[in-house]
PDB file of all heavy atoms in Angstrom:
ATOM      1  N   ILE Y 196     -26.312 -87.958-137.387  1.00  0.00           N
ATOM      2  CA  ILE Y 196     -25.770 -89.282-137.113  1.00  0.00           C
ATOM      3  C   ILE Y 196     -26.824 -90.087-136.363  1.00  0.00           C
ATOM      4  O   ILE Y 196     -27.625 -89.525-135.595  1.00  0.00           O
ATOM      5  CB  ILE Y 196     -24.462 -89.180-136.290  1.00  0.00           C
ATOM      6  CG1 ILE Y 196     -23.731 -90.517-136.271  1.00  0.00           C
ATOM      7  CG2 ILE Y 196     -24.736 -88.693-134.865  1.00  0.00           C
ATOM      8  CD1 ILE Y 196     -22.342 -90.434-135.653  1.00  0.00           C
ATOM      9  N   GLN Y 197     -26.837 -91.370-136.588  1.00  0.00           N
ATOM     10  CA  GLN Y 197     -27.738 -92.264-135.873  1.00  0.00           C
ATOM     11  C   GLN Y 197     -26.994 -92.834-134.670  1.00  0.00           C
ATOM     12  O   GLN Y 197     -25.924 -93.427-134.807  1.00  0.00           O
ATOM     13  CB  GLN Y 197     -28.205 -93.421-136.782  1.00  0.00           C
ATOM     14  CG  GLN Y 197     -28.953 -92.959-138.024  1.00  0.00           C
ATOM     15  CD  GLN Y 197     -30.260 -92.262-137.706  1.00  0.00           C
ATOM     16  OE1 GLN Y 197     -31.017 -92.702-136.837  1.00  0.00           O
ATOM     17  NE2 GLN Y 197     -30.522 -91.151-138.407  1.00  0.00           N
ATOM     18  N   VAL Y 198     -27.572 -92.642-133.489  1.00  0.00           N
ATOM     19  CA  VAL Y 198     -26.924 -93.067-132.242  1.00  0.00           C
ATOM     20  C   VAL Y 198     -27.762 -94.161-131.591  1.00  0.00           C
ATOM     21  O   VAL Y 198     -28.979 -93.998-131.428  1.00  0.00           O
ATOM     22  CB  VAL Y 198     -26.770 -91.881-131.267  1.00  0.00           C
ATOM     23  CG1 VAL Y 198     -26.043 -92.326-130.006  1.00  0.00           C
ATOM     24  CG2 VAL Y 198     -26.023 -90.732-131.948  1.00  0.00           C
ATOM     25  N   GLN Y 199     -27.109 -95.249-131.225  1.00  0.00           N
ATOM     26  CA  GLN Y 199     -27.803 -96.351-130.554  1.00  0.00           C
ATOM     27  C   GLN Y 199     -27.927 -96.031-129.066  1.00  0.00           C
ATOM     28  O   GLN Y 199     -27.323 -96.657-128.205  1.00  0.00           O
ATOM     29  CB  GLN Y 199     -27.029 -97.665-130.761  1.00  0.00           C
ATOM     30  CG  GLN Y 199     -26.851 -98.066-132.208  1.00  0.00           C
ATOM     31  CD  GLN Y 199     -28.181 -98.262-132.922  1.00  0.00           C
ATOM     32  OE1 GLN Y 199     -29.086 -98.938-132.425  1.00  0.00           O
ATOM     33  NE2 GLN Y 199     -28.312 -97.646-134.084  1.00  0.00           N
ATOM     34  N   ALA Y 200     -28.743 -95.035-128.778  1.00  0.00           N
ATOM     35  CA  ALA Y 200     -28.968 -94.596-127.402  1.00  0.00           C
ATOM     36  C   ALA Y 200     -30.271 -93.807-127.369  1.00  0.00           C
ATOM     37  O   ALA Y 200     -30.793 -93.386-128.398  1.00  0.00           O
ATOM     38  CB  ALA Y 200     -27.807 -93.743-126.905  1.00  0.00           C
ATOM     39  N   LEU Y 316     -29.200 -87.699-134.032  1.00  0.00           N
ATOM     40  CA  LEU Y 316     -28.581 -86.506-133.436  1.00  0.00           C
ATOM     41  C   LEU Y 316     -28.115 -85.595-134.568  1.00  0.00           C
ATOM     42  O   LEU Y 316     -27.357 -86.014-135.440  1.00  0.00           O
ATOM     43  CB  LEU Y 316     -27.405 -86.895-132.550  1.00  0.00           C
ATOM     44  CG  LEU Y 316     -26.581 -85.748-131.960  1.00  0.00           C
ATOM     45  CD1 LEU Y 316     -27.433 -84.853-131.070  1.00  0.00           C
ATOM     46  CD2 LEU Y 316     -25.382 -86.298-131.178  1.00  0.00           C
ATOM     47  N   ILE Y 347     -17.300 -84.278-133.818  1.00  0.00           N
ATOM     48  CA  ILE Y 347     -17.973 -84.064-132.531  1.00  0.00           C
ATOM     49  C   ILE Y 347     -19.222 -84.931-132.405  1.00  0.00           C
ATOM     50  O   ILE Y 347     -19.572 -85.383-131.308  1.00  0.00           O
ATOM     51  CB  ILE Y 347     -18.305 -82.568-132.325  1.00  0.00           C
ATOM     52  CG1 ILE Y 347     -18.430 -82.249-130.833  1.00  0.00           C
ATOM     53  CG2 ILE Y 347     -19.544 -82.162-133.067  1.00  0.00           C
ATOM     54  CD1 ILE Y 347     -17.171 -82.426-130.039  1.00  0.00           C
ATOM     55  N   LEU Y 348     -19.902 -85.204-133.514  1.00  0.00           N
ATOM     56  CA  LEU Y 348     -21.032 -86.133-133.472  1.00  0.00           C
ATOM     57  C   LEU Y 348     -20.553 -87.539-133.119  1.00  0.00           C
ATOM     58  O   LEU Y 348     -21.206 -88.250-132.338  1.00  0.00           O
ATOM     59  CB  LEU Y 348     -21.767 -86.147-134.810  1.00  0.00           C
ATOM     60  CG  LEU Y 348     -22.641 -84.939-135.142  1.00  0.00           C
ATOM     61  CD1 LEU Y 348     -23.291 -85.118-136.509  1.00  0.00           C
ATOM     62  CD2 LEU Y 348     -23.708 -84.714-134.078  1.00  0.00           C
ATOM     63  N   GLY Y 349     -19.416 -87.933-133.687  1.00  0.00           N
ATOM     64  CA  GLY Y 349     -18.842 -89.230-133.330  1.00  0.00           C
ATOM     65  C   GLY Y 349     -18.467 -89.299-131.856  1.00  0.00           C
ATOM     66  O   GLY Y 349     -18.631 -90.339-131.205  1.00  0.00           O
ATOM     67  N   TYR Y 350     -17.988 -88.185-131.336  1.00  0.00           N
ATOM     68  CA  TYR Y 350     -17.635 -88.125-129.908  1.00  0.00           C
ATOM     69  C   TYR Y 350     -18.872 -88.358-129.036  1.00  0.00           C
ATOM     70  O   TYR Y 350     -18.862 -89.180-128.117  1.00  0.00           O
ATOM     71  CB  TYR Y 350     -17.006 -86.762-129.602  1.00  0.00           C
ATOM     72  CG  TYR Y 350     -16.967 -86.416-128.137  1.00  0.00           C
ATOM     73  CD1 TYR Y 350     -15.978 -86.916-127.307  1.00  0.00           C
ATOM     74  CD2 TYR Y 350     -17.941 -85.583-127.572  1.00  0.00           C
ATOM     75  CE1 TYR Y 350     -15.953 -86.603-125.946  1.00  0.00           C
ATOM     76  CE2 TYR Y 350     -17.917 -85.262-126.230  1.00  0.00           C
ATOM     77  CZ  TYR Y 350     -16.929 -85.777-125.426  1.00  0.00           C
ATOM     78  OH  TYR Y 350     -16.922 -85.471-124.085  1.00  0.00           O
ATOM     79  N   TYR Y 351     -19.957 -87.634-129.325  1.00  0.00           N
ATOM     80  CA  TYR Y 351     -21.172 -87.791-128.525  1.00  0.00           C
ATOM     81  C   TYR Y 351     -21.807 -89.164-128.735  1.00  0.00           C
ATOM     82  O   TYR Y 351     -22.411 -89.722-127.817  1.00  0.00           O
ATOM     83  CB  TYR Y 351     -22.168 -86.685-128.861  1.00  0.00           C
ATOM     84  CG  TYR Y 351     -21.801 -85.349-128.268  1.00  0.00           C
ATOM     85  CD1 TYR Y 351     -21.602 -84.231-129.083  1.00  0.00           C
ATOM     86  CD2 TYR Y 351     -21.624 -85.202-126.894  1.00  0.00           C
ATOM     87  CE1 TYR Y 351     -21.239 -83.006-128.530  1.00  0.00           C
ATOM     88  CE2 TYR Y 351     -21.263 -83.988-126.341  1.00  0.00           C
ATOM     89  CZ  TYR Y 351     -21.074 -82.891-127.161  1.00  0.00           C
ATOM     90  OH  TYR Y 351     -20.713 -81.687-126.607  1.00  0.00           O
ATOM     91  N   GLN Y 352     -21.659 -89.708-129.917  1.00  0.00           N
ATOM     92  CA  GLN Y 352     -22.179 -91.049-130.161  1.00  0.00           C
ATOM     93  C   GLN Y 352     -21.484 -92.075-129.262  1.00  0.00           C
ATOM     94  O   GLN Y 352     -22.144 -92.885-128.586  1.00  0.00           O
ATOM     95  CB  GLN Y 352     -21.982 -91.429-131.630  1.00  0.00           C
ATOM     96  CG  GLN Y 352     -22.475 -92.828-131.981  1.00  0.00           C
ATOM     97  CD  GLN Y 352     -22.068 -93.221-133.386  1.00  0.00           C
ATOM     98  OE1 GLN Y 352     -20.921 -93.009-133.788  1.00  0.00           O
ATOM     99  NE2 GLN Y 352     -22.999 -93.790-134.140  1.00  0.00           N
ATOM    100  N   LYS Y 353     -20.168 -92.054-129.233  1.00  0.00           N
ATOM    101  CA  LYS Y 353     -19.418 -93.018-128.426  1.00  0.00           C
ATOM    102  C   LYS Y 353     -19.683 -92.814-126.942  1.00  0.00           C
ATOM    103  O   LYS Y 353     -19.867 -93.790-126.198  1.00  0.00           O
ATOM    104  CB  LYS Y 353     -17.922 -92.893-128.727  1.00  0.00           C
ATOM    105  CG  LYS Y 353     -17.544 -93.348-130.127  1.00  0.00           C
ATOM    106  CD  LYS Y 353     -16.058 -93.177-130.394  1.00  0.00           C
ATOM    107  CE  LYS Y 353     -15.706 -93.600-131.811  1.00  0.00           C
ATOM    108  NZ  LYS Y 353     -14.261 -93.401-132.107  1.00  0.00           N
ATOM    109  N   ARG Y 354     -19.715 -91.560-126.512  1.00  0.00           N
ATOM    110  CA  ARG Y 354     -19.954 -91.304-125.093  1.00  0.00           C
ATOM    111  C   ARG Y 354     -21.368 -91.710-124.677  1.00  0.00           C
ATOM    112  O   ARG Y 354     -21.574 -92.202-123.572  1.00  0.00           O
ATOM    113  CB  ARG Y 354     -19.706 -89.836-124.784  1.00  0.00           C
ATOM    114  CG  ARG Y 354     -18.223 -89.464-124.778  1.00  0.00           C
ATOM    115  CD  ARG Y 354     -17.830 -88.836-123.478  1.00  0.00           C
ATOM    116  NE  ARG Y 354     -16.395 -88.638-123.355  1.00  0.00           N
ATOM    117  CZ  ARG Y 354     -15.834 -87.924-122.376  1.00  0.00           C
ATOM    118  NH1 ARG Y 354     -16.605 -87.323-121.467  1.00  0.00           N
ATOM    119  NH2 ARG Y 354     -14.536 -87.800-122.287  1.00  0.00           N
ATOM    120  N   SER Y 355     -22.337 -91.512-125.542  1.00  0.00           N
ATOM    121  CA  SER Y 355     -23.710 -91.855-125.212  1.00  0.00           C
ATOM    122  C   SER Y 355     -23.903 -93.362-125.156  1.00  0.00           C
ATOM    123  O   SER Y 355     -24.660 -93.879-124.325  1.00  0.00           O
ATOM    124  CB  SER Y 355     -24.678 -91.267-126.242  1.00  0.00           C
ATOM    125  OG  SER Y 355     -24.597 -89.856-126.258  1.00  0.00           O
ATOM    126  N   VAL Y 356     -23.212 -94.088-126.027  1.00  0.00           N
ATOM    127  CA  VAL Y 356     -23.349 -95.543-126.055  1.00  0.00           C
ATOM    128  C   VAL Y 356     -22.560 -96.188-124.926  1.00  0.00           C
ATOM    129  O   VAL Y 356     -23.031 -97.116-124.276  1.00  0.00           O
ATOM    130  CB  VAL Y 356     -22.892 -96.093-127.418  1.00  0.00           C
ATOM    131  CG1 VAL Y 356     -22.839 -97.621-127.397  1.00  0.00           C
ATOM    132  CG2 VAL Y 356     -23.807 -95.606-128.518  1.00  0.00           C
ATOM    133  N   ASN Y 357     -21.373 -95.670-124.666  1.00  0.00           N
ATOM    134  CA  ASN Y 357     -20.485 -96.299-123.689  1.00  0.00           C
ATOM    135  C   ASN Y 357     -20.545 -95.688-122.296  1.00  0.00           C
ATOM    136  O   ASN Y 357     -20.167 -96.325-121.322  1.00  0.00           O
ATOM    137  CB  ASN Y 357     -19.037 -96.243-124.179  1.00  0.00           C
ATOM    138  CG  ASN Y 357     -18.864 -96.913-125.529  1.00  0.00           C
ATOM    139  OD1 ASN Y 357     -19.535 -97.901-125.818  1.00  0.00           O
ATOM    140  ND2 ASN Y 357     -17.973 -96.383-126.354  1.00  0.00           N
TER     141      ASN Y 357
END
Side-chain angles (χ1 to χ4, degrees):
I196 193 172
Q197 300 296 318
V198 182
Q199 301 300 312
L316 175 61
I347 204 64
L348 286 180
Y350 163 81
Y351 285 121
Q352 179 188 45
K353 292 179 182 178
R354 286 236 172 170
S355 299
V356 172
N357 302 326

